[in-house]
Amino acid sequence: MILDQLRRRRGRALALATGILVAATSFTLLTATVSTSQATTVGTVRKNARSAYDVLVRPPDAQTAVERQSGLVAPNFLSGTFGGITMDQYRRIRDLAGVEVAAPVANIGYLMVSSTVTVDVSRFLDGKASRQILRISPTLTSGLGTYRTSDEYVYLTRSPLTSAGTAEDLFQSDTLEQGTADKSTRRYQLKGKYDVCFYFNWDKTEQTEFNLKLPMRPNMIAEDLRDKSPFDPDLSSRMNCQSGRDKATVDVPVSYPVLLSAIDPAAEDRLVGLGSTVTSGRMLTERDKPWTVSFAKSVHGQHDSYIPALLSSNPLTTGTLDAAVERLDTGDPAGLPSKLGNPTADSFVRGLHGTTVGRTRVDLNKGYRKALTEDSFDTGNYWTVGPVTYFRNSGGDLAARTQPAQRRGLWVTASDQQPFTNVPEENHQGTQYRKVTSHGATECVGLGSCDGVDSGRLPNPFVRLVGRYDTSRLHGFSALSEAPLETYETPQVTGADSATRAKLGGRPLRPDRNLGGYLSPPPTMLTTMDSVTALTKSRRVPGLQDKAPVSAIRIRVAGVTGVDTASRARVNAVAGAIRAAYPRLQVDVTVGSSPAPQTVALSGSARVTERWVAKGVALRILRAVDTKSAVLFMLVLVVCALFLGQAALASVRSRRTEIGTLRCLGWSGGEVLRLVLGELALIGLAAGAAGALLAYVLGRALGQPEAGAKSLLVLPVALLLATAAGLIPAWLATRLGPMEAVRPPVTAARRARPVRSVAGLAVLNLLRVRGRTLLGAAGLALGVAAFTVLLALTLAFRGEVAGSLLGSAVVAQAREADYLSVALSLLLGAAGAIDVLVISQRERAADLAVLRATGWTDRELARLTLYEGIGLALLGGLSGAVAGLAGVLALGRGVLHGHLFTVAGAALLATLAATALVVAALTVPIRGLSRIAPAHLLAAD
């Protein structure tokens, strides 16, 4: 009986089999795609879940309010932390169970290293002049700022410059030149020659000697600068005195901040492989400790103290000097030696008129490499800086709060109140974002012990370099999960808008020499933890670093392989033990973190993007992708089942008369149930067999690695879907009484209504058979509703996961499965609506034949059918859009936050797309009906 029914209704059976084939195959392929996407996502997360360390321990109150609210770790955080964790706390944390490596960092302070940048000005010389002076007026460009620096000079003479000294050895000079003398300048001669550089470079005071009305002569006594500001450009203005022809250079004085930090060499090598970065000399070791040399070997005093240090080959700061070059009008060249060799030299040179002869440019960092000698580093003063303070501006963006300008007293020696020379211009002209503190050393350098005002403190040590290192040789870590390696890496900051990028010249923003600037360079010099006391205890005023010198501890936990349950338990156990032992310390779990770019507003309308770190990204991604995959799976399964149920219901409805006849002949409800389910099961088996082969071919073509195993699931899925979809229609068929089943399914209208247009007749037809209309619209409504829900969930998933580099990478990989899910749900819904419309057209074939017999043309009949299809599609699509939005709102959790208009617009577009699809599909049955003569149709009815 079942086989006979299938043979008699081959078209209906074939259509139903095709639906089962499409649904089962699509469902299987989609689940395979979702599984593959999920596996790829999980693999990406696990591969990039771990960086250099798993737990970051910071001092109390190190976490800012913005960090607490956002769950982020601010970049460049280490540069603003100078102490806060004691050595005892570090040792106890290091010895905790489960700790594989505990690497401390103790930021000590910024040393200021003096050097010069050489500028070749030979091409600007006057080849005919016997003596001449050039003025260099540099402008420093660094980051977002441009700063005017002090004027520099070069004096070039063809006469030889000689060396000589005073009889009492109080003065020595290498820039003595023979010149015409007059009465006012004769006394400043040394052995008949003038020192053409001394007064301009070393004594601009024009003070009298021993209260006499005679200016001081050159001597070893330093110029008293207490009344000068360290920001006075005169302090850094120098004259380069040279002898020769057509060749001259200017050595522009510059200073570089070098952050000195202490580390544990063994722990640092295990954590990041620091030993592999050494380019010359050797690596620091645990045996490197401070030492004191005897009087016989002392250079600076009775007992010199030294600390070992490893120096970076790169300055890690940036800057460019762009200088205008002027040739000065000096008057009679013969009188220049006497004018430069007396106390009025400074006022004379600065008053000269000049003519611009060109411009030159030089990289500021070239001077750093000239300063890499042991004598370049003076620990007499060092400076510490505070963190940047952030707040949310009126637009909701992060903004950096500015600080007051630096005090002049920060750049004055503690002992004699003399100002520092060559203070980097950025410190007094640039915007300040950090509080800067000066730490002056004791005055007992070289004495071995301190007494008097410095009693109980230690002498100031000197630096002894043991090697150089290059941070670019560090072992790489995944950029998707990189936690801050601020001991070695320069902050990565770029312009966030076109105006800022234009100010930066398209280059990233780098740290400058401004200690209070927004970006601070990472440590450039490393020493051992044993050397911390030699530095902090040699400050005249005790500070936090005396008691708690450690700035941060980076911890790698033993046995951690990623973000699996066991690894998370091990990390949480270590973090919990630290919190239990020291509740006030800030403990951040960094395993599974990822850089999360944030936009920060700076002063001067500049906006930058920098890589903050979002904690727990990997775990959040895994949870979100599991939830999303489960939702996609269930929604597509429901859409497939409803599509087949609708097709089966339409098939049963089209056989009302046949079922009623069987009931009249004595068939029981159970027999009818078995007949309907048997037909559907047989169709499902046939469709499943064909679908298995099709799924295998398509899976291979789509690059699914599990296509073979997944294709075998098509057969049971098809059988299950066909049987489950037919349960309700088969049950409804058994509920029909014999006489009720053989009645016409469409009854006549109770009241005649005039129709004046084809569109009006289409609307009337839809209203006359409301059940059929609702049935046809239901499938499309389900498809559009599922599309709306899927799209909202997909956008919510991306909103939850994206925002970090790892999350953005995962979102990019997960798009195909999302789009397939959305497309399949919409297509299946539209297919269900089309199926009902086709059956409806077949049932109303006699009505169409009557209309044609009364004079209706094929075009009018086609319009009638299309109008009915458009009305049905719009009804189903709009209902589905409303139902989908309501379902999304019912889900709550802010799923539509920020996406309401996007989802609503997409739902309307889906409705229009489904309408177009329905209209296009209806052209096939319309053409089929138009080829059949009305007489044949009426005879068949």
Side-chain angles (χ1 to χ4, degrees):
M1 182 67 179
I2 293 176
L3 293 176
D4 184 62
Q5 287 292 324
L6 293 178
R7 283 195 301 270
R8 289 178 54 201
R9 296 180 176 272
R10 289 188 296 271
R12 183 69 245 171
L14 183 60
L16 190 56
T18 303
I20 295 174
L21 172 68
V22 172
T25 304
S26 300
F27 173 74
T28 305
L29 284 177
L30 180 61
T31 54
T33 303
V34 171
S35 299
T36 301
S37 174
Q38 184 179 17
T40 302
T41 298
V42 172
T44 300
V45 170
R46 289 178 176 173
K47 180 181 178 181
N48 298 281
R50 201 179 189 197
S51 60
Y53 52 93
D54 306 317
V55 179
L56 175 65
V57 182
R58 292 186 285 171
D61 303 324
Q63 188 181 45
T64 64
V66 171
E67 288 180 315
R68 285 192 297 271
Q69 296 167 2
S70 61
L72 302 174
V73 177
N76 212 216
F77 70 88
L78 190 59
S79 61
T81 306
F82 290 82
I85 304 175
T86 68
M87 291 299 294
D88 288 339
Q89 289 174 329
Y90 156 62
R91 295 186 187 98
R92 182 173 176 183
I93 291 173
R94 180 192 60 190
D95 296 335
L96 287 175
V99 174
E100 180 180 350
V101 179
V105 177
N107 288 334
I108 297 171
Y110 287 93
L111 307 179
M112 200 58 62
V113 180
S114 298
S115 183
T116 59
V117 174
T118 301
V119 181
D120 191 338
V121 293
S122 302
R123 66 183 185 275
F124 305 114
L125 294 170
D126 181 357
K128 299 180 181 179
S130 59
R131 294 183 176 95
Q132 56 186 309
I133 301 176
L134 297 181
R135 177 189 290 132
I136 313 299
S137 301
T139 298
L140 171 64
T141 300
S142 181
L144 293 168
T146 300
Y147 314 99
R148 181 71 172 87
T149 68
S150 59
D151 291 339
E152 308 298 329
Y153 299 85
V154 58
Y155 169 65
L156 182 67
T157 175
R158 296 186 183 182
S159 301
L161 298 180
T162 59
S163 300
T166 59
E168 63 276 15
D169 291 331
L170 291 178
F171 181 75
Q172 184 74 30
S173 175
D174 295 325
T175 57
L176 298 178
E177 181 181 12
Q178 185 74 41
T180 303
D182 54 36
K183 293 181 179 180
S184 63
T185 61
R186 186 183 302 277
R187 74 178 300 272
Y188 305 112
Q189 289 184 334
L190 180 61
K191 297 184 178 180
K193 298 180 180 180
Y194 291 100
D195 189 322
V196 291
C197 267
F198 173 80
Y199 285 102
F200 188 92
N201 290 337
W202 305 113
D203 193 345
K204 305 174 184 180
T205 62
E206 301 186 26
Q207 294 178 348
T208 59
E209 183 177 15
F210 306 118
N211 295 322
L212 300 177
K213 294 183 178 181
L214 296 173
M216 297 177 67
R217 297 184 63 183
N219 59 79
M220 293 179 62
I221 301 175
E223 180 182 12
D224 188 356
L225 301 174
R226 283 176 295 180
D227 61 338
K228 293 281 188 178
S229 167
F231 302 144
D232 189 337
D234 283 356
L235 290 177
S236 302
S237 184
R238 293 290 182 269
M239 176 175 288
N240 295 255
C241 299
Q242 302 166 17
S243 176
R245 181 173 183 175
D246 301 330
K247 180 68 176 177
T249 58
V250 177
D251 289 330
V252 180
V254 291
S255 294
Y256 303 92
V258 172
L259 178 55
L260 174 61
S261 297
I263 60 169
D264 181 332
E268 212 66 33
D269 195 34
R270 292 176 63 193
L271 190 71
V272 297
L274 182 62
S276 63
T277 68
V278 176
T279 57
S280 62
R282 62 173 178 83
M283 173 66 178
L284 288 169
T285 68
E286 294 179 342
R287 297 187 301 273
D288 288 321
K289 305 178 187 299
W291 72 94
T292 302
V293 298
S294 62
F295 173 79
K297 297 181 179 180
S298 178
V299 177
H300 306 90
Q302 298 175 357
H303 298 281
D304 293 342
S305 299
Y306 288 90
I307 59 169
L310 192 65
L311 182 67
S312 171
S313 301
N314 302 309
L316 306 180
T317 57
T318 186
T320 301
L321 285 176
D322 193 340
V325 182
E326 293 179 281
R327 189 180 297 148
L328 302 185
D329 300 331
T330 60
D332 184 9
L336 277 178
S338 64
K339 292 178 180 179
L340 294 177
N342 74 82
T344 62
D346 181 70
S347 56
F348 164 72
V349 172
R350 294 186 184 280
L352 293 175
H353 176 268
T355 303
T356 301
V357 292
R359 302 190 67 86
T360 186
R361 175 177 294 181
V362 63
D363 186 353
L364 195 68
N365 288 339
K366 288 185 176 180
Y368 176 80
R369 294 170 179 84
K370 295 169 58 177
L372 301 188
T373 62
E374 293 178 3
D375 292 335
S376 300
F377 303 99
D378 180 12
T379 61
N381 267 74
Y382 64 69
W383 293 261
T384 59
V385 301
V388 175
T389 303
Y390 295 94
F391 65 96
R392 295 284 180 181
N393 59 21
S394 57
D397 292 334
L398 281 177
R401 195 180 305 277
T402 58
Q403 298 286 340
Q406 291 185 22
R407 296 179 295 103
R408 297 179 178 181
L410 291 174
W411 301 95
V412 173
T413 58
S415 57
D416 54 10
Q417 296 299 301
Q418 294 292 316
F420 286 89
T421 59
N422 304 327
V423 177
E425 287 75 13
E426 301 96 311
N427 287 274
H428 56 93
Q429 297 183 38
T431 305
Q432 304 298 306
Y433 295 94
R434 303 172 185 271
K435 180 181 178 181
V436 182
T437 304
S438 176
H439 302 268
T442 57
E443 294 184 7
C444 46
V445 57
L447 298 180
S449 61
C450 299
D451 54 16
V453 68
D454 295 328
S455 178
R457 307 302 290 171
L458 297 178
N460 183 33
F462 299 95
V463 174
R464 177 66 56 84
L465 298 180
V466 300
R468 311 278 172 81
Y469 70 99
D470 184 356
T471 56
S472 64
R473 296 190 177 190
L474 277 176
H475 299 314
F477 296 94
S478 170
L480 301 182
S481 60
E482 189 176 65
L485 275 177
E486 293 200 342
T487 314
Y488 311 104
E489 291 186 349
T490 299
Q492 301 183 41
V493 181
T494 57
D497 52 35
S498 57
T500 306
R501 288 190 290 270
K503 290 181 181 178
L504 292 172
R507 295 180 296 272
L509 179 63
R510 298 294 186 187
D512 55 19
R513 302 175 302 159
N514 183 4
L515 295 186
Y518 180 68
L519 297 182
S520 293
T524 316
M525 181 184 291
L526 303 175
T527 187
T528 61
M529 296 299 296
D530 291 326
S531 301
V532 172
T533 300
L535 289 157
T536 61
K537 292 292 181 68
S538 65
R539 301 303 99 182
R540 171 162 287 183
V541 179
L544 174 64
Q545 293 174 308
D546 283 350
K547 301 177 181 178
V550 179
S551 305
I553 305 173
R554 295 151 300 149
I555 297 173
R556 180 185 296 165
V557 179
V560 174
T561 58
V563 288
D564 55 278
T565 303
S567 295
R568 295 201 305 269
R570 293 185 178 99
V571 173
N572 291 334
V574 170
I578 298 173
R579 294 189 182 103
Y582 304 109
R584 296 190 65 245
L585 293 182
Q586 175 63 39
V587 181
D588 293 312
V589 175
T590 57
V591 63
S593 299
S594 178
Q598 303 291 311
T599 298
V600 180
L602 305 179
S603 64
S605 302
R607 299 173 71 248
V608 297
T609 299
E610 59 181 342
R611 292 171 64 167
W612 290 52
V613 174
K615 297 180 290 185
V617 170
L619 183 59
R620 189 164 68 247
I621 290 174
L622 293 180
R623 289 174 177 170
V625 76
D626 288 343
T627 301
K628 189 196 68 158
S629 297
V631 171
L632 291 178
F633 180 89
M634 293 304 300
L635 282 177
V636 175
L637 179 61
V638 170
V639 171
C640 290
L642 289 177
F643 163 72
L644 293 178
Q646 181 177 280
L649 186 62
S651 177
V652 171
R653 181 181 179 85
S654 68
R655 297 170 60 190
R656 281 175 60 98
T657 303
E658 178 183 333
I659 294 173
T661 302
L662 292 175
R663 295 300 305 275
C664 290
L665 294 176
W667 281 53
S668 66
E671 289 173 323
V672 172
L673 179 67
R674 289 194 296 273
L675 174 65
V676 175
L677 290 181
E679 291 178 7
L680 291 174
L682 193 58
I683 294 174
L685 284 174
L693 179 61
L694 180 62
Y696 178 79
V697 174
L698 291 177
R700 289 295 185 183
L702 294 174
Q704 294 295 328
E706 301 179 357
K710 294 292 184 181
S711 63
L712 297 177
L713 296 176
V714 177
L715 183 60
V717 168
L719 179 60
L720 180 63
L721 286 176
T723 305
L727 285 175
I728 294 179
W731 179 78
L732 291 176
T734 64
R735 303 288 293 175
L736 290 174
M739 296 307 297
E740 183 183 359
V742 297
R743 289 195 188 110
V746 181
T747 60
R750 295 181 180 179
R751 185 177 61 183
R753 297 179 182 178
V755 178
R756 294 182 177 86
S757 65
V758 176
L761 180 58
V763 173
L764 183 62
N765 286 338
L766 292 175
L767 294 175
R768 185 177 60 180
V769 285
R770 294 180 180 87
R772 180 179 298 170
T773 299
L774 293 176
L775 180 65
L780 191 59
L782 288 173
V784 174
F787 165 82
T788 304
V789 174
L790 287 171
L791 180 62
L793 288 175
T794 300
L795 290 175
F797 166 76
R798 295 182 185 179
E800 181 180 359
V801 170
S804 65
L805 299 187
L806 181 58
S808 299
V810 167
V811 166
Q813 294 174 346
R815 284 186 302 183
E816 293 183 2
D818 299 343
Y819 292 157
L820 281 173
S821 302
V822 170
L824 178 61
S825 63
L826 187 59
L827 287 174
L828 290 178
I834 293 170
D835 186 41
V836 171
L837 283 172
V838 170
I839 292 177
S840 177
Q841 291 299 326
R842 289 181 179 178
E843 289 184 352
R844 297 176 55 239
D847 295 343
L848 296 176
V850 171
L851 291 175
R852 178 179 291 177
T854 58
W856 280 53
T857 64
D858 289 345
R859 176 169 295 183
E860 290 172 324
L861 291 175
R863 287 169 53 198
L864 175 64
T865 304
L866 288 177
Y867 287 160
E868 289 183 14
I870 292 173
L872 187 65
L874 288 177
L875 176 62
L878 293 176
S879 300
V882 173
L885 290 173
V888 171
L889 290 174
L891 290 175
R893 296 181 303 170
V895 172
L896 276 183
H897 179 69
H899 303 300
L900 177 59
F901 292 106
T902 301
V903 174
L908 293 177
L909 288 177
T911 301
L912 295 177
T915 302
L917 183 62
V918 169
V919 169
L922 283 177
T923 58
V924 176
I926 288 174
R927 289 182 179 180
L929 290 175
S930 65
R931 289 194 296 267
I932 301 177
H936 291 168
L937 291 174
L938 293 174
D941 188 56

